[in-house]
Amino acid sequence: EIVLTQSPGTLSLSPGERATLSCRASQSMSSSYLAWYQQKRGQSPRLIISGASNRATGIPDRFSGTGSGTDFTLTISRLEPDDFALYFCQQYGVSPFTFGPGTAVDIK
Amino acid sequence: EVQLVQSGADVKKPGESLRISCKASGYTFISYWITWVRQMPGKGLEWMGRIDPSDSYTDYSPSFQGHVTISVDKSITTAYLQWSSLRASDTAIYYCARMYSNGWPIDSWGQGTLVTVSS
């Protein structure tokens, strides 16, 4: 089973700042199968990035994903009030399709 | 419009059985897997397993294998998650979601079903 670790657990930032979220896999994996999801309080998750770097439909370009092998990053270039939420990475290449524990981006 | 509409919240006692549902619409049901994801109170997402509605093939996470059963009824484009004997630790929100197949991400989610197990 591929174990995903996310850091930091919580990121406290102000609107307009840059957010950098990390997702590390326990073994090397194809970047084609790494996704990021956003979950706002009381809502279902939403796909924002697939294939490590491809924005989902309707996702603004301030969101970007990079990475390969075991290290992946989600960057939000300039935080807007709507971006303060939980973010989870997931690998969907090898069953079980595991999630990371999440990073909470909250308002400083 | 793709929609996954889940059954409502439920409260059960330990040892009881339960089946929750996920009604799909707006797409060809047999073309996408349905997957189930658990979120315990205040915690992260856990992938439980998935089913291919075209042939009912299932694949479970080892963490959930043997404790839950995933099934579908193609005739009514509905997927199910069921327990034969609930535990207090099953208290969580359960999401159904769809993914095109292996190698594709989850692209649509249900609204979630809160299951509370308490004596």
Side-chain angles (χ1 to χ4, degrees), chain A residues 1-59:
Chain A
E1 172 174 323
I2 297 177
V3 177
L4 299 179
T5 305
Q6 291 187 243
S7 61
T10 302
L11 200 50
S12 296
L13 295 168
S14 301
E17 290 193 297
R18 182 185 190 88
T20 303
L21 288 67
S22 173
C23 175
R24 178 164 289 176
S26 60
Q27 61 191 81
S28 186
M29 53 175 278
S30 170
S31 60
S32 299
Y33 307 131
L34 192 286
W36 290 91
Y37 301 89
Q38 177 193 67
Q39 186 180 33
K40 297 177 185 176
R41 186 178 299 275
Q43 295 186 17
S44 303
R46 174 176 72 147
L47 176 67
I48 54 172
I49 297 283
S50 63
S53 61
N54 303 304
R55 280 188 301 278
T57 303
I59 300 302

Side-chain angles (χ1 to χ4, degrees), chain A residues 37 39 44-45 92 95 97 99, chain B residues 39 47 59 95 102 106 109-110:
Chain A
Y37 301 89
Q39 186 180 33
S44 303
Y92 50 93
S95 179
F97 302 135
F99 290 91
Chain B
Q39 188 166 38
W47 187 82
D59 176 25
Y95 294 100
N102 193 32
I106 293 172
W109 296 72

